[in-house]
Amino acid sequence: MTPSQSTGQLKSNNDISHRNEPPVDRGAHPVSVSTRRITFVLGSMLYVVLMECAYVTGIVPLWSYLGFLYAAPPMWLWTAATAAAMIPALWMPVRLSRPSQWLYLYIYLAVFVPACFVPVFRGTSLGQPNSGMAQFVAVLLVCMAVLGLPNILPLLKIPRLRLHSSAPYWLVIGCFLALAYSLIYMVFGDSLMFANPDHVDEHRLAGREVLYYSALPIGLVGYCESLIPYAINPLLMALGLWFRRPLVFLIGAAGQVFFYAIDAARGPIATIPLLIVLLVAIRQSRFGFSSFWAWAMATVAFVGCLLPYMSSPVLQNQVAWLIMRTFIEPGLLTGVYRDYFSSHPQTFFSHVSGLGWIVQNPYHGTPLAFVIGESMGQPGVQANANLWADGFAALGFPGMLIETVLLAAAFYLLDSASRRIGVGLATLAIGAQALNLADIPFCTAFLGGGFALAVVLIYLLPVERSGAESSLKGQRRP
């Protein structure tokens, strides 16, 4: 082959790579960055105000029997809580440069913001002291700042584990999927069904009962139910979306539908539209990544404000449930955990598997989610909550800071392990973990929820740097 032929072949490969790999939001121009900062701050402020309005006018009238209460707090407390919810927008990244920034942004919008105002609104109705609420919001703000520290640290240079071929990587994943799906089908095969929206809770309880009476170890089946839909299938869908391989995406999406048919868990099925919208947010360059999400969530909150004016009860209930479950419930449960463990024994992390030797668990091994569910008058309901709720249950305010530092370290590990493949693909591959981090404690999400496995899969992924950053540098995708 002549030099001219080699050059032509390389150019052809680069052209293909450029066509197949979408650009990443770079936002390098100073004017563009300042404009995006203003856009993001305005979108975040609008989101906070509209979500508070949606809670008062739409959620409380429909779901007050579940604990979504409201009584007007003192003006100084309402102003302080609202301002605290808006302040992180001043320092949060406005363009996507590390995959953990997506998780940080989602925690801000779906956990931190409602955790600032929902407990304040409820606490007033329950007669709780205002000073305690102000202190709680202040600690949340500190935790949010600590969680953003990995963004200012230089990434670790983790040695690359070079594989001679990609075949072992995919062979191991394929074998694991085959065994895991076979095992799950052995347990749930006779009960697989698409639950009617009005009977989701019944189907979910039936699925738990099938698992409880299964002859196979519950822990083994449980790990398969969490690792695949939150680590492996999202990776397949990410690869299919990023490199425009519809079959690969459909394989991952079909797996998510399979897990929904087991017990009507909405998390796996929700990852499908989530990753699609996440790809759109990465590819678009008009608003910037963070601004796109802030204004999109502000739009959702605006729809929530229109709930009282919706003529269709079915539509009203569905929209209210979506907003309540995704954006309000994490704040509610954070406040409920704070209220309960302010007057009941804290666990000193003895509720975490493997740490029971620290001190005797005052709840005798009963998961805290069931303890809180029973305290809310719903025995048997698993009221899982995020890292800040779990941290307060363990050690109060210091516990919240401990779990925040642990998650920040996990973010730093993710960013360092994914630098080889590029931020766009890594963000899609880790995207589903946002749903986990909003609903379950950090320790559960890191191991049982698939966060650690997702980081390992990203680190070993046999793909070179992808996206616009590789095309612009003249690299080609193997």
Side-chain angles (χ1 to χ4, degrees):
M1 179 179 294
T2 65
S4 60
Q5 289 174 326
S6 301
T7 303
Q9 181 64 34
L10 178 58
K11 181 179 180 181
S12 175
N13 285 333
N14 284 334
D15 290 342
I16 294 174
S17 177
H18 182 73
R19 289 197 305 269
N20 286 344
E21 298 174 354
V24 176
D25 171 31
R26 301 181 70 84
H29 196 277
V31 176
S32 176
V33 171
S34 62
T35 302
R36 293 178 182 187
R37 170 65 63 188
I38 295 173
T39 304
F40 175 59
V41 171
L42 292 178
S44 300
M45 294 173 62
L46 185 62
Y47 166 72
V48 172
V49 173
L50 289 177
M51 191 56 72
E52 289 181 346
C53 177
Y55 176 81
V56 175
T57 62
I59 302 301
V60 171
L62 292 175
W63 305 97
S64 58
Y65 67 94
L66 292 178
F68 295 90
L69 307 174
Y70 171 74
M75 181 58 65
W76 71 267
L77 182 58
W78 175 85
T79 303
T82 303
M86 297 175 180
I87 286 175
L90 298 175
W91 71 66
M92 294 187 65
V94 294
R95 66 184 184 92
L96 185 65
S97 59
R98 299 185 181 190
S100 69
Q101 291 169 352
W102 152 243
L103 303 177
Y104 187 39
L105 177 64
Y106 189 87
I107 289 175
Y108 168 64
L109 295 173
V111 180
F112 176 77
V113 169
C116 284
F117 71 82
V118 174
V120 170
F121 289 170
R122 291 185 71 253
T124 305
S125 66
L126 298 175
Q128 297 176 355
N130 296 327
S131 59
M133 284 297 169
Q135 186 181 18
F136 180 68
V137 172
V139 174
L140 281 174
L141 185 59
V142 172
C143 289
M144 195 66 194
V146 171
L147 196 57
L149 291 179
N151 291 313
I152 64 176
L153 298 176
L155 296 178
L156 295 173
K157 294 183 179 180
I158 302 178
R160 178 185 175 186
L161 181 61
R162 294 182 177 272
L163 301 176
H164 296 292
S165 171
S166 62
Y169 180 88
W170 295 113
L171 180 62
V172 171
I173 290 180
C175 291
F176 176 77
L177 288 177
L179 292 174
Y181 277 119
S182 299
L183 183 149
I184 294 173
Y185 188 80
M186 289 173 56
V187 176
F188 298 102
D190 295 335
S191 61
L192 291 176
M193 61 174 292
F194 292 98
N196 186 298
D198 296 330
H199 300 88
V200 168
D201 292 337
E202 291 84 348
H203 185 48
R204 189 168 299 170
L205 292 175
R208 293 176 184 172
E209 185 175 359
V210 171
L211 178 61
Y212 180 79
Y213 289 105
S214 170
L216 297 174
I218 295 179
L220 177 61
V221 180
Y223 271 107
C224 293
E225 283 190 273
S226 58
L227 295 181
I228 297 177
Y230 291 103
I232 299 179
N233 284 344
L235 175 64
L236 296 176
M237 290 190 291
L239 291 170
L241 289 171
W242 191 252
F243 294 119
R244 293 186 174 92
R245 300 292 185 264
L247 181 59
V248 178
F249 172 79
L250 290 176
I251 291 174
Q256 300 299 80
V257 174
F258 173 82
F259 281 100
Y260 177 79
I262 291 175
D263 57 2
R266 298 180 177 91
I269 204 74
T271 60
I272 300 175
L274 175 65
L275 293 189
I276 294 175
V277 178
L278 188 56
L279 177 67
V280 173
I282 294 172
R283 296 185 64 176
Q284 62 82 33
S285 58
R286 179 181 297 272
F287 299 105
F289 181 80
S290 297
S291 299
F292 174 90
W293 282 105
W295 284 91
M297 295 304 100
T299 303
V300 173
F302 175 73
V303 174
C305 296
L306 300 178
L307 283 171
Y309 308 101
M310 293 183 179
S311 57
S312 170
V314 176
L315 177 63
Q316 185 185 56
N317 287 331
Q318 292 298 321
V319 173
W321 183 91
L322 175 64
I323 295 176
M324 179 273 291
R325 180 66 182 86
T326 307
F327 303 104
I328 300 296
E329 189 175 65
L332 169 73
L333 291 176
T334 303
V336 170
Y337 271 68
R338 180 258 180 197
D339 297 341
Y340 186 85
F341 290 101
S342 293
S343 57
H344 291 77
Q346 296 172 344
T347 67
F348 295 92
F349 290 102
S350 61
H351 66 286
V352 179
S353 300
L355 298 182
W357 53 270
I358 297 178
V359 67
Q360 184 177 1
N361 189 338
Y363 303 98
H364 308 291
T366 302
L368 298 186
F370 288 110
V371 174
I372 295 300
E374 185 172 358
S375 73
M376 297 176 68
Q378 303 177 56
V381 172
Q382 248 182 316
N384 292 309
N386 54 76
L387 73 159
W388 293 321
D390 186 73
F392 191 91
L395 203 59
F397 293 145
M400 295 171 64
L401 289 171
I402 290 173
E403 293 217 20
T404 301
V405 171
L406 291 176
L407 181 57
F411 282 177
Y412 188 55
L413 176 63
L414 165 66
D415 294 337
S416 299
S418 61
R419 60 185 302 175
R420 178 179 58 83
I421 69 170
V423 62
L425 177 57
T427 301
L428 284 176
I430 202 68
Q433 286 300 317
L435 301 178
N436 269 343
L437 294 174
D439 285 338
I440 60 179
F442 164 74
C443 294
T444 303
F446 188 75
L447 294 177
F451 188 101
L453 177 60
V455 172
V456 172
L457 293 176
I458 290 172
Y459 169 67
L460 297 176
L461 187 65
V463 173
E464 293 299 329
R465 285 187 66 85
S466 57
E469 61 265 42
S470 59
S471 295
L472 293 175
K473 293 179 181 179
Q475 299 175 356
R476 66 176 184 175
R477 175 172 57 85

